[in-house]
Amino acid sequence: MTAANRDPYQVLGLSSSASQSEITSAYRRLLREHHPDTRTRPRSSNPAADEHLQRILSAYALLRDPEHRAAHDRAVTERAEAESDVQPRRRPEAPTRPATPIRIRVVVRGTPAAAGPTRNGVVGEPGAVAPLT
């Protein structure tokens, strides 16, 4: 449709199960109401009324042809199904632990000093001096 992008059934005031004769009857009724020649003031220009008339004409052009109407109904149904299938976005999950444990190999060089802190604060470091007792 135009800027309004409305459902043609709503424009004509019908349900989607309306028969072809109901569509034609609603179109003719609305056309008599909104046509510029039958308006209360035909000389005045009313852009909103003209746009509404264009929506009526477009809706009837789509719904009067059974093939176009069926294609429209299929598209609406598929769009509704697609919207219902869309899952809401979930927050990404926090990283999990790896499947295999991480192995760390510790190599100690030199001979460990006596238990307890040393002057430089590192136990077992080469050159570390044990505290005086």
Side-chain angles (χ1 to χ4, degrees):
M1 301 255 141
T2 58
N5 221 4
R6 298 180 69 185
D7 182 34
Y9 293 107
Q10 288 179 348
V11 171
L12 296 178
L14 300 169
S15 69
S16 59
S17 62
S19 68
Q20 200 63 35
S21 63
E22 291 173 322
I23 291 172
T24 304
S25 175
Y27 165 71
R28 289 180 179 168
R29 179 181 46 80
L30 289 170
L31 188 61
R32 277 191 303 272
E33 291 175 14
H34 297 284
H35 196 276
D37 293 340
T38 60
R39 291 183 194 155
T40 55
R41 290 200 234 155
R43 298 273 185 227
S44 66
S45 176
N46 187 348
D50 292 340
E51 184 178 336
H52 187 64
L53 179 62
Q54 286 298 321
R55 278 189 250 137
I56 293 168
L57 294 171
S58 297
Y60 182 66
L62 177 68
L63 297 179
R64 74 175 173 196
D65 183 10
E67 291 177 11
H68 288 182
R69 181 180 178 187
H72 168 75
D73 292 344
R74 272 193 309 274
V76 168
T77 303
E78 289 172 1
R79 190 177 319 126
E81 288 174 357
E83 288 175 358
S84 67
D85 289 344
V86 173
Q87 306 243 341
R89 288 188 179 180
R90 295 182 356 192
R91 291 186 358 199
E93 294 181 13
T96 58
R97 290 185 166 175
T100 57
I102 298 174
R103 296 181 176 230
I104 299 175
R105 182 175 169 186
V106 178
V107 177
V108 179
R109 296 181 186 216
T111 57
T118 60
R119 280 190 210 169
N120 60 1
V122 180
V123 176
E125 181 179 304
V129 179
L132 298 171
T133 53

